[in-house]
Amino acid sequence: GAVVSQHPSRVICKSGTSVKIECRSLDFQATTMFWYRQFPKQSLMLMATSNEGSKATYEQGVEKDKFLINHASLTLSTLTVTSAHPEDSSFYICSARNRPYGYTFGSGTRLTVV
Amino acid sequence: QKEVEQNSGPLSVPEGAIASLNCTYSDRGSQSFFWYRQYSGKSPELIMSIYSNGDKEDGRFTAQLNKASQYVSLLIRDSQPSDSATYLCAVEGVRDNYGQNFVFGPGTRLSVLP
């Protein structure tokens, strides 16, 4: 099966600092990865689509200067939350499409900004 | 705007009963359909995918797809307390202007009572 590894699983940071989250496809190449955010008791909301070798595509309302995405290789995408604030505290999840397994999700990163 | 709708629940069933989860979608061009299970604080895990009309069975799970009615369902036979989770319906269709072609429903919370 397809495995997507996401690190860190949990991070606490001070307001104003930046946090980087990594997402790796371990046994397949992913030209496209997806970044989601999930607030408590709410569904997954797509933030952006990460494309290897090109700029990410952001959903409406998502600040691209705040959520920096880099997809430098076929197996690694990173999301950097810049100048984090308490309202950015959320569960961030990446995923990748790997036919025929569908979309495989990373284990998620619980971000708490204090 | 593509939409995927699910009853939010909670849906409560007794242990050993059949749980029936329903999902409707708005985009007639949708091609692939997925059911994910998400435990609280965890990322979604794929249960089943279905691509053509009819039923698809995998163990205690049966997915049913009716493209004419734009309806997909998931049946869980012999429900167990460990099946208690939120079940997300996801639909993949033609990429829209924003690059998004994979849409999650809001999820249905299932509670299996011992």
Side-chain angles (χ1 to χ4, degrees):
Chain A
V3 177
V4 173
S5 176
Q6 184 173 346
H7 294 281
S9 59
R10 189 176 296 266
V11 58
I12 301 173
C13 71
K14 291 185 176 180
S15 185
T17 62
S18 296
V19 172
K20 180 184 284 188
I21 303 170
E22 289 191 351
C23 182
R24 293 180 185 274
S25 56
L26 294 187
D27 49 2
F28 67 101
Q29 293 182 334
T31 55
T32 303
M33 292 187 177
F34 304 89
W35 287 96
Y36 294 86
R37 179 168 52 184
Q38 186 176 37
F39 293 106
K41 299 191 184 301
Q42 295 187 23
S43 188
L44 294 161
M45 294 301 297
L46 180 67
M47 298 175 65
T49 301
S50 169
N51 304 298
E52 187 269 336
S54 65
K55 292 183 179 180
T57 303
Y58 290 83
E59 297 301 301
Q60 283 186 322
V62 178
E63 300 175 59
K64 60 182 179 182
D65 294 331
K66 181 171 184 61
F67 298 99
L68 301 179
I69 291 174
N70 184 281
H71 194 153
S73 76
L74 288 172
T75 59
L76 175 63
S77 177
T78 61
L79 168 68
T80 301
V81 183
T82 63
S83 186
H85 289 97
E87 57 265 31
D88 298 323
S89 298
S90 188
F91 191 45
Y92 292 85
I93 312 173
C94 67
S95 77
R97 183 78 158 95
N98 183 31
R99 299 175 189 276
Y101 303 108
Y103 289 78
T104 302
F105 287 84
S107 55
T109 298
R110 176 76 56 192
L111 171 64
T112 303
V113 184
V114 297
Chain B
Q1 181 76 13
K2 297 175 184 143
E3 294 182 352
V4 177
E5 296 185 349
Q6 298 178 253
N7 290 327
S8 61
L11 172 66
S12 296
V13 300
E15 184 175 356
I18 296 175
S20 178
L21 304 165
N22 304 317
C23 172
T24 59
Y25 57 96
S26 63
D27 182 14
R28 282 198 172 273
S30 300
Q31 300 163 347
S32 306
F33 307 86
F34 306 88
W35 282 100
Y36 287 84
R37 176 175 60 197
Q38 186 177 25
Y39 293 110
S40 181
K42 303 293 184 182
S43 67
E45 54 180 328
L46 181 66
I47 297 176
M48 292 194 66
S49 58
I50 187 167
Y51 305 100
S52 55
N53 282 328
D55 294 359
K56 179 181 178 181
E57 186 175 320
D58 184 1
R60 296 187 295 113
F61 300 96
T62 299
Q64 300 174 317
L65 175 61
N66 184 326
K67 290 186 178 180
S69 300
Q70 296 174 239
Y71 173 92
V72 58
S73 67
L74 179 70
L75 300 178
I76 307 175
R77 291 182 298 281
D78 188 24
S79 296
Q80 301 298 310
S82 59
D83 294 326
S84 299
T86 297
Y87 289 79
L88 302 168
C89 171
V91 176
E92 182 180 44
V94 177
R95 193 172 296 274
D96 65 16
N97 291 333
Y98 303 105
Q100 177 179 346
N101 69 341
F102 188 68
V103 181
F104 278 100
T108 298
R109 194 154 50 92
L110 172 66
S111 178
V112 181
L113 307 174

